[in-house]
Amino acid sequence: MTAATAPHDHFWLTFRRSLAGKVLLTPKGGVAGAYLLVLVLIALTAPWITPYPFDQQALPLANRPPSLANWLGTDEFGRDVLSRIMYGARTSLSVSVTAISVSVLVGMALGAAAGYFGGMFDRGVTAAVDLSWSFPEILIALILVAIIGPGLHSTMLAIAIAYLAQFTRLTRAQIMGLKGETYIEATLSLGASHGHVVFRHLMPNALAPVIVCGMLATGDAIILEATLGFFGLGAQPPVPSWGAMMSSGSALIFTAPWIIVFPGLAVAITVVMINLFGDALIRALDIRANLREG
Amino acid sequence: MALLTVENLGIDIHGIRPLDGVSFSVDKGEILGIVGESGSGKSLTALSVIGLLPLIGGRILRGSIRFDGIDLATLPEAEFRRLRGRRIAFITQNPMTSLDPVMRIGAQIDQVSMLHLGLDARAAQARSIEIMAQLRIPEAATIYHHFPHQLSGGMKQRIVIAMALAADPDLIIADEPTTALDVTIQAQIVDLLVELVRERDVALILITHDMGVVAQTCDRVVVLYAGRVAESDAVAAIFERPRHPYTRALIGCIPRDETAHGNLTGIPGAVPSVAHYPAGCRFHPRCPRRGAPCDHIVPVSAAMDGGLFACHFPENSGVAR
Amino acid sequence: MSGGAQNLVELRQLSKRFESRRGLFGKPRAMTAVDDVTLGIPKGRVTGVVGESGCGKSTLARLVLRLLEASSGEVVFDGMPLGQLSGGALRKLRRRMQMVFQDPYSAIDPRYNMADALLEPHRIQGIRLSRADARTVVGELLGMVGLGPQIAASFPHQLSGGQRQRIGIARALALKPDFLVLDEPTASLDVSIQAQIIALLEQLRSELGLTYLFISHDLGLVRYFCDRIVVMYLGRVVEVLPQPHAAPRHHYTRALLDSNFVPDPKRRRTIRRLTGEIPSAFDLPPGCAFAARCPRADATCRAIRPDLTQTADGHAAACHHPL
């Protein structure tokens, strides 16, 4: 081995041992990771790389089946379905990722505070979580959108609130379990503040399952966003979203099935890939847990 | 011929060999102590004798385990099942988890005598209550109908012992039966076990890490270290003139009234894990008496005055260091 | 009370009650975990607290360091009543009083390596260290507890129980305290490792002039390690032995002593069985808590609670019929 290759080898080894390496170097994690990376790139660069502008109408070319000019066909206004799916990825991803991130952050804060301090605050939070837990997320989201009105931002807010109970509950349970560990008492006996205990010990140790759960919820959120879009409650025309595209295609399902099938496939494949990635993440984190046991 | 004779036992668990040439014997009315630190192979020895090694993916590589003329090492599982619980009983370390939480105490004891002695329900109940009373469980007929969570730790361990006795076994193996209990309760349980052995003429193998328990209860002792027998002898001899430096060190770990301050030093280092057993005598890295051959020549077991020891430089034997 | 030496810590009529409720609509029940404990902890000595489960020894340990708030009574540390200190002042004072915990397996955050774990006390107390100083501190602390510097990069799962307990001791020593509460520091270790840790604690005490409060269930160990022994039963102090080998006067101490497994087959116990179980700490009887198990108990014992009475030699016992 020459000296020149050594740093490269070192990098490779570090990568293989890192969490990212453990996820991406498995078949599941690798395929899912590659797909999600491509999807994110498409979403980011959609305005420059789509074959046609998403809102370019050509009524004479309406409802054309897939062809060389329009790979996935055209919709009822003659707009290119492929371009609209690529643009729709922007909506689906940004709404679901933003909503779940907000939900995770707020849920962790609520759950950690409830689990750590207990008392009346905990009882209140637990009651609210239990109440929300007894309704399906879709119902909560629908009611919220009905109250605040349709649109992209209200969709995000609705999804974030719909999933809040899940993360609050999970974080609270994690914190409650970890709170009894001796190292928490040991840290307090050194004169640590509650902030130190929560942010340096409890949160880092509670993080992994919450992250995995957030990953899997992102997949669900894409479906929820599509559903709200399907009902016309999400992104408003002409902004494309996968759900809204399927909704408009539903009228022509027998004459021009490609209008509804391709956005549907985009939703399905993306959700499956996110779940695969989540599985790989669980696997990788479990391996770490096993190592910890020696 | 002793009731149980284990000779040169070696086992394999997923390619590692945690026991190597373990030999001992125990007879009716006798208490044999198997003592050593955690990781010395005490519990694996017990599992080998009751034929439960396959549970943890292990198997017997060599050696024999003769119980009343039967070779347990080669006994098919179907036949072993008739022996286990019937003639060989096992008492585990943690009474909290060895009882079924959703089954009444009495039913759990009844089960044993119904299965092994073929008693009907009424006879089994009478027998269970009788055994419970013998174990000084107050109001046995009432406790009989209780659930495990209604009992204290010491009482649960008595129930576990009652289950062990229900089929009238010849050999009882108790794996650290008192470590999970309070001090005064420990003494009660140990006294109870000793009495049982004397009264019922059963053989008891008591597995423990505590030389104090050994001194107070056992007739003979096997000292295990890292899967091998360091020394075995009668209890008086073990304490009076230990030959293996490990035996002496282990005894020295328990403070006595006359132990002067600073004289409790423990044994330096720790028991090696199975994957890292050193060559030669496995105790040599921690041994104050180690010499030239210790790190590459495995000491052969030598007999002297009825005891066995495996050491190149034994104490109390006229061999100079 | 302490036979000469000055007290570093004084406990005055310290009590702790826990309320619990069975289910949502259950009646609240009170359990007195520590009941009216008055005790001096002499400077530079080892005071042992011994008792079985439910005797309140671990609760007492936490009250002494104010990790738990007392229901009544107070703890005075070096002249300062802890109960009157503000949060900030108490956190500062924690430098001087530290604790070593029973379970070394969960006493270190699994995500911390040993260097981080050993530096955490400084970080918590807001003491900034340069990289070089930090390395020196870690090296010194590891050396103090007999571990090599290579341990600094290890994570808890890579260490044995004995090594972890040494780290627990090093962490407690990091801020150079005067007073250590040792809560069964060897109860989950092998006997050979227990003896190592006790030897280490003995050596550190004499080198650093520390004061120990040693909590244990093992009377044999306490008699070896401690200068003075406090025996607790169901939340109360039942006997204080001024010297570790003083003859017990309380029947419970006698029973504990009889239950000890002496490692000498020539001194086998003549079976003197203590009957009965430790009663529940809820709904204690009015008289002596030990009356239900005591061979000498009579009507007085069951009706009237005996006071802890002290004789001239500093020996105190709470018994109507002392030995």
Side-chain angles (χ1 to χ4, degrees), chain B residues 248-264:
Chain B
R248 172 181 292 289
L250 212 49
I251 296 169
C253 287
I254 313 267
R256 314 178 188 210
D257 279 359
E258 59 274 16
T259 313
H261 264 273
N263 282 2
L264 192 72

mmCIF file of all heavy atoms in Angstrom, chain B residues 248-264:
data_model
loop_
_atom_site.group_PDB
_atom_site.id
_atom_site.type_symbol
_atom_site.label_atom_id
_atom_site.label_comp_id
_atom_site.label_asym_id
_atom_site.label_seq_id
_atom_site.Cartn_x
_atom_site.Cartn_y
_atom_site.Cartn_z
ATOM 1 N N ARG B 248 -7.048 -19.389 47.717
ATOM 2 C CA ARG B 248 -6.671 -18.521 48.841
ATOM 3 C C ARG B 248 -7.159 -17.091 48.592
ATOM 4 O O ARG B 248 -7.731 -16.463 49.483
ATOM 5 C CB ARG B 248 -5.157 -18.514 49.027
ATOM 6 C CG ARG B 248 -4.722 -17.481 50.061
ATOM 7 C CD ARG B 248 -3.230 -17.411 50.257
ATOM 8 N NE ARG B 248 -2.671 -18.614 50.874
ATOM 9 C CZ ARG B 248 -2.866 -18.960 52.153
ATOM 10 N NH1 ARG B 248 -3.609 -18.205 52.931
ATOM 11 N NH2 ARG B 248 -2.328 -20.047 52.636
ATOM 12 N N ALA B 249 -6.971 -16.597 47.351
ATOM 13 C CA ALA B 249 -7.367 -15.226 47.030
ATOM 14 C C ALA B 249 -8.876 -15.043 47.204
ATOM 15 O O ALA B 249 -9.339 -14.041 47.738
ATOM 16 C CB ALA B 249 -6.944 -14.878 45.609
ATOM 17 N N LEU B 250 -9.621 -16.041 46.767
ATOM 18 C CA LEU B 250 -11.079 -15.955 46.838
ATOM 19 C C LEU B 250 -11.548 -15.905 48.303
ATOM 20 O O LEU B 250 -12.451 -15.153 48.658
ATOM 21 C CB LEU B 250 -11.676 -17.169 46.123
ATOM 22 C CG LEU B 250 -13.008 -17.006 45.405
ATOM 23 C CD1 LEU B 250 -13.026 -15.798 44.504
ATOM 24 C CD2 LEU B 250 -13.305 -18.272 44.599
ATOM 25 N N ILE B 251 -10.904 -16.724 49.136
ATOM 26 C CA ILE B 251 -11.249 -16.705 50.562
ATOM 27 C C ILE B 251 -10.912 -15.339 51.155
ATOM 28 O O ILE B 251 -11.665 -14.793 51.958
ATOM 29 C CB ILE B 251 -10.494 -17.821 51.327
ATOM 30 C CG1 ILE B 251 -10.929 -19.195 50.819
ATOM 31 C CG2 ILE B 251 -10.729 -17.706 52.834
ATOM 32 C CD1 ILE B 251 -10.070 -20.346 51.321
ATOM 33 N N GLY B 252 -9.788 -14.782 50.697
ATOM 34 C CA GLY B 252 -9.323 -13.500 51.226
ATOM 35 C C GLY B 252 -10.202 -12.322 50.855
ATOM 36 O O GLY B 252 -10.017 -11.223 51.370
ATOM 37 N N CYS B 253 -11.136 -12.537 49.918
ATOM 38 C CA CYS B 253 -11.992 -11.432 49.482
ATOM 39 C C CYS B 253 -13.111 -11.127 50.465
ATOM 40 O O CYS B 253 -13.770 -10.106 50.360
ATOM 41 C CB CYS B 253 -12.620 -11.750 48.128
ATOM 42 S SG CYS B 253 -11.447 -11.647 46.782
ATOM 43 N N ILE B 254 -13.385 -12.061 51.389
ATOM 44 C CA ILE B 254 -14.466 -11.837 52.348
ATOM 45 C C ILE B 254 -13.852 -11.374 53.657
ATOM 46 O O ILE B 254 -13.041 -12.089 54.243
ATOM 47 C CB ILE B 254 -15.244 -13.150 52.613
ATOM 48 C CG1 ILE B 254 -15.581 -13.832 51.311
ATOM 49 C CG2 ILE B 254 -16.445 -12.900 53.500
ATOM 50 C CD1 ILE B 254 -16.905 -13.514 50.741
ATOM 51 N N PRO B 255 -14.203 -10.175 54.111
ATOM 52 C CA PRO B 255 -13.609 -9.711 55.369
ATOM 53 C C PRO B 255 -14.110 -10.535 56.552
ATOM 54 O O PRO B 255 -15.254 -10.943 56.594
ATOM 55 C CB PRO B 255 -14.093 -8.259 55.460
ATOM 56 C CG PRO B 255 -15.306 -8.177 54.604
ATOM 57 C CD PRO B 255 -15.148 -9.205 53.540
ATOM 58 N N ARG B 256 -13.226 -10.811 57.500
ATOM 59 C CA ARG B 256 -13.624 -11.452 58.751
ATOM 60 C C ARG B 256 -13.377 -10.461 59.879
ATOM 61 O O ARG B 256 -12.777 -9.412 59.665
ATOM 62 C CB ARG B 256 -12.754 -12.678 59.037
ATOM 63 C CG ARG B 256 -12.555 -13.582 57.877
ATOM 64 C CD ARG B 256 -11.639 -14.703 58.339
ATOM 65 N NE ARG B 256 -11.265 -15.522 57.201
ATOM 66 C CZ ARG B 256 -10.992 -16.813 57.302
ATOM 67 N NH1 ARG B 256 -11.039 -17.402 58.467
ATOM 68 N NH2 ARG B 256 -10.660 -17.491 56.236
ATOM 69 N N ASP B 257 -13.785 -10.853 61.054
ATOM 70 C CA ASP B 257 -13.597 -9.975 62.201
ATOM 71 C C ASP B 257 -12.126 -9.622 62.394
ATOM 72 O O ASP B 257 -11.791 -8.508 62.752
ATOM 73 C CB ASP B 257 -14.114 -10.658 63.478
ATOM 74 C CG ASP B 257 -15.622 -10.521 63.573
ATOM 75 O OD1 ASP B 257 -16.192 -9.890 62.662
ATOM 76 O OD2 ASP B 257 -16.208 -11.040 64.532
ATOM 77 N N GLU B 258 -11.248 -10.603 62.151
ATOM 78 C CA GLU B 258 -9.846 -10.350 62.450
ATOM 79 C C GLU B 258 -9.082 -9.763 61.261
ATOM 80 O O GLU B 258 -7.891 -9.521 61.362
ATOM 81 C CB GLU B 258 -9.166 -11.639 62.945
ATOM 82 C CG GLU B 258 -9.192 -12.812 61.985
ATOM 83 C CD GLU B 258 -10.476 -13.652 62.112
ATOM 84 O OE1 GLU B 258 -11.457 -13.151 62.709
ATOM 85 O OE2 GLU B 258 -10.497 -14.771 61.593
ATOM 86 N N THR B 259 -9.771 -9.520 60.123
ATOM 87 C CA THR B 259 -9.080 -8.924 58.991
ATOM 88 C C THR B 259 -8.694 -7.491 59.344
ATOM 89 O O THR B 259 -9.552 -6.674 59.652
ATOM 90 C CB THR B 259 -9.982 -8.891 57.742
ATOM 91 O OG1 THR B 259 -10.598 -10.168 57.593
ATOM 92 C CG2 THR B 259 -9.196 -8.564 56.494
ATOM 93 N N ALA B 260 -7.376 -7.201 59.311
ATOM 94 C CA ALA B 260 -6.930 -5.854 59.668
ATOM 95 C C ALA B 260 -7.153 -4.905 58.502
ATOM 96 O O ALA B 260 -7.198 -5.329 57.346
ATOM 97 C CB ALA B 260 -5.447 -5.881 60.033
ATOM 98 N N HIS B 261 -7.320 -3.640 58.813
ATOM 99 C CA HIS B 261 -7.509 -2.637 57.772
ATOM 100 C C HIS B 261 -6.385 -2.710 56.743
ATOM 101 O O HIS B 261 -5.226 -2.819 57.098
ATOM 102 C CB HIS B 261 -7.540 -1.232 58.394
ATOM 103 C CG HIS B 261 -8.936 -0.775 58.646
ATOM 104 N ND1 HIS B 261 -9.673 -0.145 57.687
ATOM 105 C CD2 HIS B 261 -9.727 -0.903 59.722
ATOM 106 C CE1 HIS B 261 -10.873 0.122 58.164
ATOM 107 N NE2 HIS B 261 -10.941 -0.341 59.408
ATOM 108 N N GLY B 262 -6.732 -2.636 55.490
ATOM 109 C CA GLY B 262 -5.734 -2.664 54.432
ATOM 110 C C GLY B 262 -5.406 -4.074 53.973
ATOM 111 O O GLY B 262 -4.681 -4.256 53.004
ATOM 112 N N ASN B 263 -5.935 -5.082 54.657
ATOM 113 C CA ASN B 263 -5.612 -6.455 54.273
ATOM 114 C C ASN B 263 -6.611 -7.067 53.304
ATOM 115 O O ASN B 263 -6.466 -8.209 52.895
ATOM 116 C CB ASN B 263 -5.500 -7.346 55.515
ATOM 117 C CG ASN B 263 -4.169 -7.120 56.201
ATOM 118 O OD1 ASN B 263 -3.384 -6.285 55.756
ATOM 119 N ND2 ASN B 263 -3.927 -7.851 57.269
ATOM 120 N N LEU B 264 -7.635 -6.305 52.974
ATOM 121 C CA LEU B 264 -8.612 -6.781 52.003
ATOM 122 C C LEU B 264 -8.222 -6.159 50.667
ATOM 123 O O LEU B 264 -8.416 -4.982 50.445
ATOM 124 C CB LEU B 264 -10.010 -6.321 52.417
ATOM 125 C CG LEU B 264 -11.181 -6.954 51.682
ATOM 126 C CD1 LEU B 264 -11.355 -8.390 52.113
ATOM 127 C CD2 LEU B 264 -12.454 -6.174 51.966
#
